[in-house]
Amino acid sequence: MRSIWKGAISFGLVSVPVKVYSATEDHDLKLHQVHDKDKGRIRYQRKCEVCGETVEYGDIDKAYEEGGRTVVLTDEDLESLPVERSREIEVVEFVPDSQIDPMLFEKSYYLEPEKIGAKPYQLLRRTLEQTELTAVVKFALRQKTRLGALRVRGDVMVLQALLWQDEVREAEFPILSEDVKISDKELKMSSSLVESLSTDFTPDQFTDEYQQQLRQLVEAKLEQGEAVDTEATFGEAPEEGEGAEVLDLMEALRRSVESRRKASKGAKEGEEKETTAEKPAAKKRTRSAG
């Protein structure tokens, strides 16, 4: 990985020099646009409305318009802002982990300590770990002042950029204020379904099926050309309207719980069969050893 920024965590009089790395990446297959008739690549050009010329990125400035007046802001203007010049990740407070609404989470960054900052880095990491607190920080990155959450993930500290509170829209849906009657029986059945699906979260068991199928389609087209048989590649598509049976809420919950019980029972029986099959083999190996 290549660091995208260098700075220092500061809390009190302690300073921890760190390098910042993007902690996430996009795994989507990169697609571009082409003309459907001749497959020519479609490219977007940056044209000036005044002179009509195509403009290079290096010749583009930012601007703000208000009341018919335009204010142009050059890169030099933006870099002159005191906050933008700062290389400090300032700790402003420590809060319980549970108090930060996940809705605020934005992009995540790994923090690697510089050699001279290894000890204070580990000290802060262990302190956060033991106290189960998250450090709320302020920092500037890529021409934007940001609020962040500094927390521990394994052996590394992670800086998670947060949205500002006014960037989160309020949910104003009148239907949510309507009185809805839920019976004890419905609540009990719903709780049973939730309990049957409850487990520990293991993110590596989930896969992006759309991207897998997209790659499968691309590979099939590379092998077979445009006349690819999608049914042979993905199987026959279900007919429209299939599975559109309308059930009332209680019946849907009852069937869901029953389905989960059967699935759980089948999985348990499968495990028992595997265990039973392994035992004779183990005995046989023991006798051979004797």
Side-chain angles (χ1 to χ4, degrees):
M1 289 191 292
R2 187 177 65 179
S3 65
I4 60 171
W5 191 80
K6 286 185 179 182
I9 305 167
S10 67
F11 64 110
L13 297 176
V14 179
S15 181
V16 187
V18 292
K19 296 178 183 177
V20 179
Y21 301 81
S22 292
T24 59
E25 60 185 359
D26 186 358
H27 70 193
D28 289 0
L29 200 64
K30 300 295 183 280
L31 304 177
H32 59 256
Q33 295 179 321
V34 295
H35 189 187
D36 61 355
K37 291 182 180 179
D38 55 21
K39 298 182 178 54
R41 181 79 176 264
I42 304 296
R43 298 183 185 275
Y44 292 95
Q45 296 182 326
R46 299 166 296 280
K47 284 196 173 182
C48 174
E49 292 181 354
V50 176
C51 64
E53 292 183 4
T54 300
V55 184
E56 298 296 327
Y57 270 120
D59 298 325
I60 296 177
D61 288 329
K62 293 181 173 63
Y64 177 77
E65 187 173 337
E66 185 177 280
R69 298 180 62 193
T70 300
V71 176
V72 176
L73 299 169
T74 66
D75 290 341
E76 289 75 17
D77 290 332
L78 297 172
E79 290 170 2
S80 71
L81 297 174
V83 171
E84 178 63 20
R85 293 199 307 267
S86 172
R87 290 282 167 171
E88 187 175 76
I89 302 171
E90 179 192 1
V91 176
V92 293
E93 61 185 10
F94 294 91
V95 301
D97 298 340
S98 60
Q99 286 188 2
I100 300 181
D101 186 350
M103 180 77 82
L104 298 174
F105 289 149
E106 205 178 15
K107 191 168 175 56
S108 300
Y109 303 92
Y110 288 135
L111 299 184
E112 178 194 22
E114 298 277 12
K115 193 169 184 179
I116 61 172
K119 184 172 182 177
Y121 179 98
Q122 293 293 358
L123 176 62
L124 179 56
R125 185 188 69 79
R126 292 187 190 180
T127 302
L128 290 174
E129 200 169 40
Q130 288 182 7
T131 58
E132 296 184 353
L133 293 175
T134 292
V136 176
V137 302
K138 289 197 299 184
F139 65 107
L141 180 64
R142 292 173 174 169
Q143 298 181 345
K144 187 175 179 181
T145 304
R146 300 169 187 263
L147 192 66
L150 186 62
R151 59 187 183 84
V152 176
R153 186 176 190 268
D155 294 332
V156 69
M157 281 199 289
V158 174
L159 174 61
Q160 197 138 21
L162 301 177
L163 296 170
W164 296 100
Q165 187 60 46
D166 62 1
E167 292 181 307
V168 179
R169 294 175 174 175
E170 291 295 325
E172 298 176 349
F173 305 123
I175 193 172
L176 296 179
S177 61
E178 295 179 6
D179 187 26
V180 177
K181 301 294 183 183
I182 297 177
S183 69
D184 291 341
K185 193 172 182 181
E186 287 172 333
L187 188 58
K188 185 178 180 181
M189 189 67 75
S190 178
S191 298
S192 296
L193 177 57
V194 169
E195 186 178 346
S196 70
L197 288 165
S198 297
T199 185
D200 292 323
F201 180 53
T202 49
D204 58 357
Q205 72 171 314
F206 299 100
T207 55
D208 187 340
E209 294 178 2
Y210 178 84
Q211 288 299 317
Q212 286 184 338
Q213 292 171 6
L214 183 59
R215 289 179 185 276
Q216 192 176 350
L217 179 60
V218 168
E219 289 171 4
K221 284 206 164 196
L222 287 173
E223 287 183 11
Q224 303 171 35
E226 294 301 315
V228 62
D229 185 348
T230 54
E231 283 192 8
T233 304
F234 301 112
E236 191 173 345
E239 295 181 11
E240 282 192 25
E242 190 175 313
E245 181 185 359
V246 178
L247 302 173
D248 72 327
L249 180 58
M250 196 62 197
E251 179 63 13
L253 286 170
R254 188 192 66 76
R255 290 195 186 184
S256 298
V257 171
E258 185 61 30
S259 175
R260 287 298 305 169
R261 284 176 180 166
K262 287 181 179 178
S264 178
K265 185 179 179 182
K268 189 175 180 181
E269 288 176 351
E271 289 176 2
E272 289 177 352
K273 284 181 180 179
E274 286 182 10
T275 304
T276 304
E278 287 173 0
K279 284 181 179 179
K283 287 181 180 178
K284 188 175 181 181
R285 283 195 298 271
T286 304
R287 286 171 186 162
S288 299

